[in-house]
Amino acid sequence: METLRRKIRIAVLWILAAVAMSAHMILLSADPSAMKKMAEWAATAGQGEWVFVSLFWLVPLWLAFVAMTMNGSANRWVNFVVATFFTILNIWHFFICGVPILKGGPFAEPTAHHILLVGSTVVATALIAWYACKWPKQEA
């Protein structure tokens, strides 16, 4: 029963990460200055960049499925490794897009929704890594 509870927590956190990223992109599209910068980026982005951006949604959604269906220590390790990678990736996203000291970022300063939603993805993926790391080995 505890294993099922742990799997559900991890799956819900993966879904939360995907939904928060979706909400972030939707709210960005309502900000005129952000839309201008996104349009400039989109005009020069290649297929690789678009695939990379789509992974912010697809990987968390697939990992929610994997967390519920995969058994054994492979489930624990897949969630730990991917969640750790996504935590780092989301921290990078947070800083590259919204911190004024990084002059190369597309935005002069973070918006409230940027801090809330991208920060939520960082917390969600860090919690996934934590739950996976603390998963008792005999349950895995």
Side-chain angles (χ1 to χ4, degrees), residues 16-26 53 56-57 90 93 117-118 121:
L16 181 132
V19 170
M21 192 54 65
S22 299
H24 171 56
M25 289 300 164
I26 290 167
V53 169
F56 275 97
W57 288 281
N90 285 315
H93 176 211
L117 294 171
V118 178
T121 63

Side-chain angles (χ1 to χ4, degrees), residues 70-139:
M70 189 180 251
N71 290 317
S73 64
N75 190 353
R76 177 177 183 253
W77 281 106
V78 165
N79 278 292
F80 177 74
V81 169
V82 177
T84 301
F85 176 71
F86 261 72
T87 301
I88 294 165
L89 193 62
N90 285 315
I91 289 170
W92 171 79
H93 176 211
F94 183 82
F95 280 102
I96 199 70
C97 288
V99 177
I101 60 170
L102 297 175
K103 301 297 183 204
F107 305 107
E109 58 186 54
T111 61
H113 72 80
H114 175 83
I115 294 168
L116 180 64
L117 294 171
V118 178
S120 294
T121 63
V122 171
V123 171
T125 54
L127 280 171
I128 294 165
W130 173 259
Y131 281 129
C133 182
K134 294 300 178 183
W135 198 315
K137 289 179 176 57
Q138 65 271 17
E139 285 185 31

